[in-house]
Amino acid sequence: DTESLRDRLVPLALGVWDHIKNGGDHGADNWSLEWMGFLPGKRESRRYVGDHILTQNDVASGGAFDDIVAYGGWSMDDHHPAGILYPGDPTIFHPAPQPYGIPYRCLYSRNVENLLCAGRNISATHAALSSTRVMGTCAILGQAAGTAAALAVRDGLTPRQVGKGRIRELQDALMEDDCWLPGRARAVAELSRRAALSADAGDPSPLLSGIDRSLDGHGNGWTGRWAQLLWERDETPSSIRLVFDSDLARTDKNMPCRWPVGGYYITPPAPLARDFDVDMLRDGRWETLHAVRDNYQRLVRLPAGGVCRGVRVRLIRDWAGRPDVRMFALEAR
């Protein structure tokens, strides 16, 4: 019915625009309509059936699944089927815990052996889908499905076999890539756990907690100008993993669809590390291995070659220009 729906929706949209511009004091007298989409955006269509069908009760109870691979946070909003013709409130909101877990069993088909799905086609009921359908959740469902597909192809497994025998490996891989799984902490590298962690200020222990964001009133981070890992003997780390503060709790997100009259300027989050150096301790001397400038990433992985006795990160400034920079993780692998 896409074409007939479009033919109904376009006049409705133009009628709303006519009211905004000409039907009252909406401040739009000098505005013009520049663009309008012509493809109806259906939020619900056919879905696969997996080994688990996510329900409204799953969402409302928090989704504490052993095979959690993603999360949602949007309330369940049930639209009236009459749509714009319905004279009452168009939506009934059913609260959902923020966040709630989504299991891997919703991401592969029950009866098609090699089929993974992600986004608005996962195994979910009408009510549960009204929350999982939002783009942020669909994106991390895609990350989970893609990571599972990589494990399956690498080891010659079906998607179900990944879930039955490799779910911990899948979860670890997702968390290693900075995908947060509610209720779980990331495994910290053994090389980092046996190092002596120190810093110029405060308690740096959260850098090795395996929790890479602020949660439930706990900061889980450290702020300062340098932090380091030292070993009692020479080690040969292959990589360094850093996680910086991208201000996930900010309410003014970078949303280009909102364009106020005064303009809109997209910049990296203010507390995110902009300039920093990574050093290695060799033969009693610190040597700069990486000098990173204008960083815009929250998760930073850097190669670490050769034998050393320690690794240090020296923070120069964040995107607000402050020399004391906030971090969530410093690990050598």
Side-chain angles (χ1 to χ4, degrees):
D1 299 326
T2 299
E3 289 193 27
S4 61
L5 292 172
R6 177 201 61 203
D7 293 344
R8 297 284 301 277
L9 290 168
V10 168
L12 289 168
L14 292 173
V16 171
W17 166 244
D18 175 67
H19 171 78
I20 291 172
K21 184 171 175 64
N22 305 312
D25 185 16
H26 299 294
D29 299 26
N30 297 319
W31 286 51
S32 61
L33 182 62
E34 191 169 278
W35 179 89
M36 185 173 69
F38 285 87
L39 181 66
K42 303 176 186 178
R43 78 173 191 171
E44 183 172 352
S45 58
R46 290 180 175 86
R47 299 184 290 284
Y48 297 106
V49 177
D51 279 353
H52 182 81
I53 301 175
L54 194 72
T55 68
Q56 179 176 355
N57 290 335
D58 290 334
V59 174
S61 63
F65 296 100
D66 287 339
D67 61 335
I68 179 176
V69 291
Y71 65 93
W74 191 258
S75 62
M76 291 176 281
D77 55 345
D78 192 17
H79 291 186
H80 195 281
I84 199 165
L85 301 178
Y86 181 62
D89 292 336
T91 303
I92 300 174
F93 291 95
H94 303 279
Q98 298 187 18
Y100 61 87
I102 300 173
Y104 175 65
R105 286 166 294 156
C106 292
L107 271 60
Y108 61 86
S109 170
R110 177 180 295 176
N111 59 345
V112 182
E113 189 177 62
N114 63 338
L115 180 63
L116 279 156
C117 42
R120 291 183 297 175
N121 59 1
I122 69 168
S123 181
T125 64
H126 164 78
L129 184 77
S130 70
S131 174
T132 65
R133 65 178 176 81
V134 296
M135 287 187 179
T137 300
C138 288
I140 57 177
L141 289 168
Q143 182 177 354
T147 304
L151 291 177
V153 170
R154 186 194 68 187
D155 297 336
L157 304 172
T158 65
R160 178 180 282 109
Q161 287 172 333
V162 171
K164 297 294 185 182
R166 301 289 184 87
I167 190 63
R168 297 294 177 265
E169 185 178 355
L170 173 58
Q171 292 168 333
D172 289 344
L174 289 168
M175 290 188 287
E176 174 70 14
D177 288 337
D178 198 28
C179 182
W180 176 53
L181 299 182
R184 294 187 175 271
R186 180 179 48 80
V188 176
E190 189 272 337
L191 180 63
S192 298
R193 293 199 308 270
R194 56 186 169 85
L197 174 64
S198 59
D200 69 313
D203 175 16
S205 61
L207 296 175
L208 297 178
S209 69
I211 302 175
D212 297 338
R213 64 187 64 203
S214 299
L215 288 172
D216 302 325
H218 300 285
N220 298 322
W222 165 85
T223 302
R225 301 190 180 187
W226 63 262
Q228 64 187 23
L229 298 168
L230 296 176
W231 294 280
E232 294 182 353
R233 56 183 177 82
D234 287 345
E235 300 285 357
T236 311
S238 61
S239 64
I240 299 165
R241 184 182 187 275
L242 309 170
V243 179
F244 297 110
D245 186 0
S246 57
D247 199 11
L248 294 174
R250 70 190 186 279
T251 56
D252 182 22
K253 300 294 194 294
N254 290 340
M255 296 288 287
C257 60
R258 300 177 185 164
W259 201 268
V261 175
Y264 190 89
Y265 304 96
I266 298 176
T267 61
L272 187 70
R274 180 172 182 172
D275 301 332
F276 61 92
D277 294 337
V278 175
D279 307 326
M280 299 187 75
L281 182 61
R282 292 192 175 108
D283 299 324
R285 297 176 51 196
W286 286 103
E287 301 175 3
T288 299
L289 183 66
H290 298 283
V292 180
R293 301 295 180 266
D294 289 335
N295 169 65
Y296 56 89
Q297 293 179 315
R298 169 186 152 83
L299 171 64
V300 177
R301 292 190 182 102
L302 297 168
V307 176
C308 70
R309 190 63 67 92
V311 171
R312 178 177 68 184
V313 57
R314 287 184 290 117
L315 302 157
I316 300 172
R317 60 172 176 163
D318 63 15
W319 279 92
R322 296 169 295 208
D324 293 310
V325 180
R326 185 168 174 79
M327 293 181 63
F328 290 111
L330 163 61
E331 287 186 48
R333 306 301 182 87

